[in-house]
Amino acid sequence: MEKSEGITIPHEKPWRYEEGEYTVTRGSAWSGPGCHLGCGVLMYTDKDGKLVKVEGDPENPMTEGRLCVRCLDMPEIVNHKDRLTYPMKRARADRGKNKWERVSWDEAYDIVEREFNAIKDEYGAESVVFIHGTGRDIAPWQSRLCWSFGSPNYGNVLSGNACYLPRVAGMAATTGSFWIADVAQHFPDRFDHEGWTMPEVMFVWGNNPLIANSDGFFGHWVIDLMKRGMKTVVIDPRVTFLAAKANLHLPIRPGTDAALALGMLNVIINEEIYDKEFVDCWCYGFDELKERVQEYPADRVAAITWIPEDKIVRAARMLAAAKPATLQWGLAIDMTREAIPAGQAIAALFQITGNIDCPGGLVPPAEIMAYSGGWGRDLLPPEQEPKRLGLDRYRLLQMGFKQSSPDVLIETMETGVPYEIHGAHFQTTNGIACMGADPHRVYNAFNKCDFIVSVDLFMTPTIMALADVVLPAATFAERNGIRVGDGPQRGEVINKVTQIGECKSDMQINLELGKRFNPEAWPWEKPEEMFTELLKPTGYSWEELREEAPVYLPVEYYKYKTGKMRNDGQPGFQTATGRIELWSTFYNAAELDPLPYFEEPDPGPGSTPELFEQYPLVLTTGARNWSYFHSEHRQIERLRRMHPDPIVQVHPDKLAELGMEDGEWVWIENQNGRAKIRIESTPILTDPRIVACDHAWWRPEGDPEKFFDVFEYNINNLMVYSPGKSGFGSNYKTSICRLYKLEDGE
Ligand SMILES: Nc1nc2c(c(=O)[nH]1)N[C@H]1C(S)=C(S)[C@@H](COP(=O)(O)OP(=O)(O)OC[C@H]3O[C@@H](n4cnc5c(=O)[nH]c(N)nc54)[C@H](O)[C@@H]3O)O[C@H]1N2
Ligand SMILES: Nc1nc2c(c(=O)[nH]1)N[C@H]1C(S)=C(S)[C@@H](COP(=O)(O)OP(=O)(O)OC[C@H]3O[C@@H](n4cnc5c(=O)[nH]c(N)nc54)[C@H](O)[C@@H]3O)O[C@H]1N2
Ligand code: SF4
Ligand SMILES: [Mo]
């Protein structure tokens, strides 16, 4: 590709300059610590090279100088006394004890190389699993390490892969692509870009973008567009900031989004207010969809979702009338067991109204690298692929990405069928505190491994419980890097400004380890050469891009008309029928229902009424907050002060009924387990029957040998491994519970 492929508007300031007594360096805040977004930062270092201040970069076209509190607090995070600063090992017999021994990098690498190779020789490379967290930045490097080692088992411990991947895989299966809200993020001149149109209405569905900034979408863009007149419809069981400001808020019972979407489809189809031309020319299976949605009249849907009927009808009409309309959806869609049909129904709303591949509608992200596919897939020996865990059970695992099924992984570790797992590589994951649906199962399953290495910034419950070797990783201020992946992609440079202890970047660590396992797969001398390799589609080298602002790939609209959506160059979409499949030939072949449907969340008031009598509150978990990224940041004093304890949000009326008070510590419990939590009385819950609580709690100040009290505070004690029929989706946001008082001394 020519360099002219990549488009930039260069910065006025150089990438590094002096300001008073400080050196200021431009960068991107793409993990660690965890975050999806990688906002533009200016990092201030003093004459000793210490990071003392972080500010937003006003010249960054994506974020224009805006930052969250977690980035503003980077100096405290980077320089924190609890950082892991050198490699450590622990004797196998001491696993779980706080008995670590400092070792050199070379000795640590020697141990990892020896142990993993011994497992590979005896049981096969598939017996070593490579487990990631949401460390979006680290994924390409860990997948490459996994596949070049020869293991097909790159994955995580999140039941049903219930974060983003259900939406990605579902869209890939039914349309051949993934789709994101077009808010001009692909253009360096943003809202002024000629040819871009502002969405007339945006549906914010199961997502809280101002806090989460998830999957490459900066939440403030919603506000920017509201100021320009864009309308919003928010679908959320809580009155979030955006819900309070929305033109229409649909307060939904958790886990019933599929029913809502099917009810809206019913209105749009029966009132014939869909885009007939788009449906005729580009969609497949409309008549079957029309028949299916007859099962979901608005009054029935109102009873299921707890949303007033007139609001459902109004939302449907608003969507159909808007040209264009767009969708910003989130995790709540993935975190219900039947996430695939829920995503299918929601997507169909925007498909039959013709909001596809048009300015201000939904567009496929321009990708510098096929991020969700991982990096280095060609390195996996072909005979290893069929061993990927879950592949024989879930055909959808072939769609869009190359990971194992977390649920089958845990089961395999417990049973040894079809083969035993003996080693694990953890990088950016805190499985016992955060990802695992059942922390005790995760602990027991991995504790069977002969050897575990973990790469992290801080000591965690998972490392304390399970690791034999721990490697200290660098934050974004301590390394060079690029930001390419995740949603709409831009090439952007991360610059190292400081050094903490012996920490190394994940890229450096994986390059050094990779060379030991498979040197041909890691031909580079330093990470910057790998960055240039990944930046190839832009035409820029890493060093060249450093001088520029972010680089963007050009995007075109209506590619389905010009043959640019299909591999064979024909008009249409990359599916078996060449159309958007409202009735999916892929699901049909995979013995799944080809049409979207709603299934009552299980357990729940509709599916298990008797159990619901015992646990009479509908529970949603893990709504994001300002202070924390998942299990991270609990050590950071300023952030902890904003949100000192795990909380469950309860409606004041319900509290009065329970005889409980704001701020009180209680047990939250269901049929699977219980956790300790503190009550926050708040009317933002739209129905007193619903409660919403934090996830990923542990206490760095707690007893290390009780794994920092993780088993006492982790809400996932109440969860189970239980994916949907497709293997995707699980119930993290749709469960039931009861609250009761602590006994004395608890
Ligand atoms: N009940 C409930 N549970 C949930 C959720 C929910 O909504 N409800 N959400 C789920 C979702 S969507 C996700 S994605 C998972 C996330 O689960 P995890 O990815 O496990 O979460 P984190 O705590 O962000 O990160 C894990 C570790 O990565 C380390 N880390 C951060 N940055 C870096 C880095 O650059 N390099 C290295 N090597 N380490 C780093 C952190 O210190 C931390 O210990 O949790 C899930 N768990
Ligand atoms: N500060 C911060 N930011 C983060 C993270 C973090 O831990 N902290 N984690 C990152 C990760 S890995 C992810 S996946 C994203 C997730 O980011 P989001 O997609 O925003 O997910 P949540 O904040 O978990 O939930 C969004 C909203 O869904 C609502 N909700 C709950 N249950 C339901 C339901 O059944 N239906 C509907 N329609 N709404 C429901 C909640 O009330 C909440 O307001 O955030 C990312 N960004
Ligand atoms: S979204 Fe917030 S925490 Fe994440 S990189 Fe941007 S400013 Fe930092
Ligand atoms: Mo996530």
Side-chain angles (χ1 to χ4, degrees), residues 40-213:
V41 287
L42 297 175
M43 294 172 283
Y44 289 68
T45 41
D46 67 13
K47 58 181 181 347
D48 303 320
K50 184 177 173 185
L51 181 72
V52 291
K53 185 165 86 161
V54 170
E55 286 195 353
D57 174 6
E59 286 195 75
N60 186 291
M62 306 292 278
T63 50
E64 297 176 304
R66 294 169 287 191
L67 290 183
C68 309
V69 64
R70 295 192 310 287
C71 264
L72 294 171
D73 265 354
M74 274 305 280
E76 189 185 343
I77 297 168
V78 171
N79 300 306
H80 199 278
K81 64 173 178 26
D82 292 349
R83 285 285 304 278
L84 296 168
T85 53
Y86 44 79
M88 298 190 293
K89 70 173 180 182
R90 179 168 65 177
R92 180 67 180 78
D94 287 333
R95 208 186 257 174
K97 304 217 172 81
N98 193 14
K99 289 189 177 170
W100 297 95
E101 187 186 330
R102 179 174 185 165
V103 291
S104 68
W105 275 100
D106 265 346
E107 186 180 346
Y109 285 152
D110 285 347
I111 300 171
V112 178
E113 184 183 357
R114 190 180 67 228
E115 296 288 336
F116 277 4
N117 278 338
I119 296 169
K120 185 176 183 174
D121 290 346
E122 200 169 341
Y123 309 101
E126 64 277 11
S127 277
V128 180
V129 295
F130 290 73
I131 306 296
H132 66 84
T134 190
R136 294 298 210 270
D137 199 4
I138 318 307
W141 279 269
Q142 197 188 11
S143 66
R144 191 174 186 91
L145 190 67
C146 174
W147 296 328
S148 65
F149 177 75
S151 174
N153 291 319
Y154 172 58
N156 61 67
V157 296
L158 187 71
S159 178
N161 267 314
C163 168
Y164 202 33
L165 296 178
R167 279 171 285 152
V168 175
M171 293 303 92
T174 52
T175 70
S177 178
F178 187 63
W179 302 89
I180 59 169
D182 178 22
V183 291
Q185 66 274 59
H186 286 104
F187 312 118
D189 52 352
R190 298 300 312 272
F191 306 138
D192 297 330
H193 188 77
E194 217 185 299
W196 178 74
T197 312
M198 185 175 77
E200 207 176 303
V201 59
M202 174 184 278
F203 280 69
V204 179
W205 201 316
N207 178 239
N208 193 1
L210 289 181
I211 291 182
N213 299 300

Side-chain angles (χ1 to χ4, degrees), residues 279-323:
V279 168
D280 280 351
C281 297
W282 305 107
C283 296
Y284 177 80
F286 178 75
D287 292 339
E288 289 83 353
L289 179 68
K290 180 173 179 177
E291 201 183 315
R292 172 63 56 90
V293 302
Q294 300 314 315
E295 297 169 30
Y296 299 91
D299 57 343
R300 178 176 173 231
V301 169
I304 294 172
T305 57
W306 301 353
I307 302 170
E309 184 182 336
D310 67 306
K311 286 197 170 188
I312 298 169
V313 175
R314 257 170 67 203
R317 290 181 185 154
M318 257 176 96
L319 169 55
K323 293 281 172 276

